[in-house]
Amino acid sequence: MCDPVSAVVAVVGALSYTQQKQAASQAADAQTRASETATANATKAADQADQANNRANGKQPDIAAMSSSNQMAAKGGVGGTMLTGPQGIDPKSLLLGKTTLLGS
């Protein structure tokens, strides 16, 4: 038969091992949660910094240039628009700054 003291030592050892394993698991879970929280906070701070930078360096429309362009277009009269002009649509006025192989 087994010695009762040995059996008690074995049970206490098993319980101790189980408690250590649970403590390690809880510590790992806490570390994971802390890491996820830190990542979320860093992402939020980066987004806020980006928004602050965008607010500080906001682009403003050039109203004077738009007004001048509209005035020049108005001098051509109603027939000077691309849709109603007697000469039709100039293909060069439809380009967006670069040529592509699709239309060539």
Side-chain angles (χ1 to χ4, degrees):
M1 270 272 153
C2 211
D3 184 18
V5 174
S6 297
V8 169
V9 169
V11 169
V12 169
L15 288 174
S16 175
Y17 174 75
T18 303
Q19 289 173 347
Q20 288 176 353
K21 191 173 179 181
Q22 286 176 348
S25 176
Q26 289 173 350
D29 290 344
Q31 180 65 31
T32 301
R33 283 192 305 273
S35 175
E36 289 172 352
T37 302
T39 301
N41 289 342
T43 302
K44 185 176 179 181
D47 288 343
Q48 288 175 345
D50 189 35
Q51 289 174 7
N53 184 33
N54 289 343
R55 265 187 254 112
N57 299 319
K59 295 179 182 177
Q60 297 294 324
D62 188 0
I63 296 174
M66 289 189 296
S67 177
S68 174
S69 175
N70 289 342
Q71 288 174 357
M72 293 301 288
K75 288 182 181 179
V78 176
T81 64
M82 286 182 12
L83 298 176
T84 61
Q87 68 275 11
I89 299 174
D90 181 18
K92 292 180 183 176
S93 66
L94 298 176
L95 295 178
L96 299 176
K98 55 185 169 183
T99 59
T100 64
L101 296 176
L102 295 174
S104 298

